[in-house]
Amino acid sequence: MIRWMTSGESHGQALTAIIEGLPSNLKIDTEEINRYLAYRQSGYGRGARQKIETDMVKILSGVRNCLTLGSPVCLMVENKDYKNWEEYMSPYGADVTARRLTRVRPGHADLSGVLKYDQTDARNILERASARETAVRVAAGTIARMFLRELGIEVCGYVRSVAGISDDKEYTAAQLCDVKNSELFMPDPVLCEEAKRRIEQIKEEKDTAGGIVEIRVNGLKSGFGSCMSYGEKLDGHLAGAVMGIQAIKGVEIGLGFEAARKRGSEVHDEIFFENGKFTRKTNRAGGIEGGMSNGEEIILRAAMKPIPTLMRGLNTVNFDTGEACRAATERSDVCAICACEIVVESTVCFALAQKVQERLGGDNMREIIERYQKL
């Protein structure tokens, strides 16, 4: 199965990802990777760091003449801000007394990480726990997107709710084609403007905002995942991957939690047989039944908590002294829901690519495409 691993710190030299198990002869479009990296840095409510970093991917191995070789692919996204942090972050000798962080931030990994890894500086935790890591995850996820597209599987998404402003209308995937042109990835321009005003209010109050993103998958045939082994359920695999993203506190598929408030007749999708095919006239299950894809559109939503770094700080303690204080303020966004949408989208792409190759096998794209077409 396709596997990946990322490394790197927020203010280190670079972020890297190694992808193992990709088939050979997958065409790689570096411009598309960079476009999704730019999407990740966009969105209303972002902070000053997005003006410093302009993320670009470098492919270090596993690709020749824009085609994968079948060997591990290594990706790198440079941290341009490293030049301002080298004396504090250098692996060859650094001033670890400067920029030391002891006023741990509620909602962040700071305190739990300091205790678990026996550290005296929360910077050794926050540098890795930072959402900056997701830049290289987006790069890897975009390669997975290219793999899925070769099979006719498309993944898209949008922001359904931000800062308490929700869009409850239902959209087709076709209606979401241009949503990335919106400053908040919201299809409704009126709600987008309302959400922008809310974000400005929150910024003035030195607070932060979260939201909900929705991801759609079209073109995935039935039978991916398993009902025989619970560890192989498609919904469990997707939910686990998405919950692994920084700031995600909830995942639902289809009706999700709403299903618990309805009767069975309002939840389950009735099955029909028309023109030689099994069909459903509703998709409340969100494209997954019994842990397996059923051929319908997959609909997944993820809830992002507000960013835990508040410019006004929250009550906490200094872990050095145990004294009450206000939490430290690192440079931060007010709202990063657009970044979250891109990261969730990319993570879903990678998790799906894993399940697709797990079932189809194959060492090169030709045989994988042939096997998928026969399903």
Side-chain angles (χ1 to χ4, degrees):
M1 186 169 73
I2 300 172
R3 296 180 293 273
W4 66 347
M5 175 181 291
T6 73
S7 69
E9 287 75 47
S10 178
H11 294 100
Q13 298 174 67
L15 302 161
T16 62
I18 293 179
I19 311 172
E20 186 180 25
L22 279 173
S24 65
N25 297 326
L26 171 64
K27 186 172 179 58
I28 303 299
D29 183 349
T30 306
E31 290 186 4
E32 182 175 7
I33 298 174
N34 289 334
R35 185 165 67 251
Y36 276 94
L37 287 173
Y39 284 148
R40 178 193 164 276
Q41 293 187 285
S42 67
Y44 200 81
R46 300 306 303 275
R49 182 159 193 185
Q50 308 316 314
K51 299 176 183 178
I52 297 172
E53 306 281 5
T54 302
D55 289 337
M56 306 283 283
V57 71
K58 290 184 180 179
I59 301 175
L60 303 183
S61 68
V63 177
R64 184 185 185 203
N65 192 30
C66 301
L67 294 173
T68 56
L69 301 173
S71 55
V73 171
C74 183
L75 308 174
M76 181 180 76
V77 176
E78 182 183 358
N79 285 331
K80 293 184 176 64
D81 201 20
Y82 177 65
K83 64 179 182 291
N84 299 318
W85 285 78
E86 184 172 6
E87 65 178 297
Y88 315 111
M89 294 295 298
S90 172
Y92 309 109
D95 182 359
V96 296
T97 61
R99 302 206 180 188
R100 182 167 174 256
L101 192 145
T102 59
R103 292 180 292 149
V104 289
R105 296 163 296 171
H108 214 292
D110 296 355
L111 181 58
S112 297
V114 162
L115 298 175
K116 175 179 173 66
Y117 293 103
D118 191 24
Q119 297 291 336
T120 59
D121 184 356
R123 183 160 304 284
N124 291 339
I125 306 303
L126 69 89
E127 286 286 334
R128 178 59 182 168
S130 167
R132 173 70 187 148
E133 179 268 347
T134 62
V136 77
R137 208 185 301 196
V138 167
T142 306
I143 288 181
R145 185 190 300 273
M146 296 170 191
F147 170 80
L148 295 173
R149 188 182 296 135
E150 289 292 318
L151 305 177
I153 302 167
E154 294 287 348
V155 181
C156 66
Y158 71 106
V159 171
R160 191 175 179 104
S161 174
V162 57
I165 306 299
S166 298
D167 187 345
D168 296 324
K169 294 185 289 296
E170 298 299 329
Y171 299 96
T172 65
Q175 291 174 310
L176 301 175
C177 288
D178 298 324
V179 76
K180 301 297 191 293
N181 294 327
S182 161
E183 287 185 272
L184 281 169
F185 295 178
M186 299 181 80
D188 188 322
V190 175
L191 288 175
C192 182
E193 289 301 315
E194 185 179 351
K196 285 166 59 179
R197 289 192 293 271
R198 180 70 61 82
I199 290 170
E200 281 302 311
Q201 177 187 350
I202 291 170
K203 181 179 181 180
E204 289 177 7
E205 296 169 358
K206 297 184 177 181
D207 216 326
T208 58
I212 297 172
V213 302
E214 181 168 301
I215 309 300
R216 306 286 191 82
V217 179
N218 283 278
L220 182 67
K221 296 183 179 182
S222 65
F224 288 90
S226 176
C227 63
M228 299 300 181
S229 174
Y230 292 110
E232 296 177 6
K233 292 172 67 118
L234 179 61
D235 42 4
H237 184 66
L238 291 175
V242 173
M243 283 295 293
I245 299 169
Q246 295 90 328
I248 297 299
K249 299 301 286 184
V251 177
E252 63 178 14
I253 295 170
L255 286 180
F257 282 93
E258 185 62 25
R261 292 184 278 269
K262 294 180 178 292
R263 298 183 180 187
S265 58
E266 300 174 298
V267 170
H268 305 296
D269 303 304
E270 294 180 310
I271 301 171
F272 303 87
F273 191 76
E274 298 173 351
N275 301 318
K277 292 183 178 180
F278 295 103
T279 64
R280 295 164 178 81
K281 296 181 180 179
T282 57
N283 186 24
R284 299 156 181 159
I288 301 176
E289 291 177 303
M292 300 169 290
S293 59
N294 63 13
E296 301 293 327
E297 181 182 51
I298 291 177
I299 302 173
L300 178 148
R301 284 176 292 277
M304 177 191 185
K305 69 180 182 181
I307 297 163
T309 301
L310 278 65
M311 294 311 294
R312 61 183 171 90
L314 294 173
N315 290 324
T316 186
V317 297
N318 184 319
F319 70 74
D320 252 358
T321 65
E323 295 176 349
C325 61
R326 301 293 281 185
T329 57
E330 294 282 302
R331 183 171 53 219
S332 177
D333 302 320
V334 176
C335 176
I337 192 65
C338 291
C340 176
E341 192 282 323
I342 292 298
V343 174
V344 175
E345 215 177 292
S346 302
T347 300
V348 167
C349 285
F350 205 95
L352 278 178
Q354 289 178 310
K355 280 298 180 185
V356 167
Q357 201 200 32
E358 182 182 74
R359 183 182 183 192
L360 298 178
D363 297 308
N364 62 73
M365 286 306 301
R366 177 184 54 78
E367 60 186 11
I368 291 174
I369 292 170
E370 288 175 355
R371 292 172 185 180
Y372 191 71
Q373 290 173 342
K374 291 177 182 178
L375 293 179

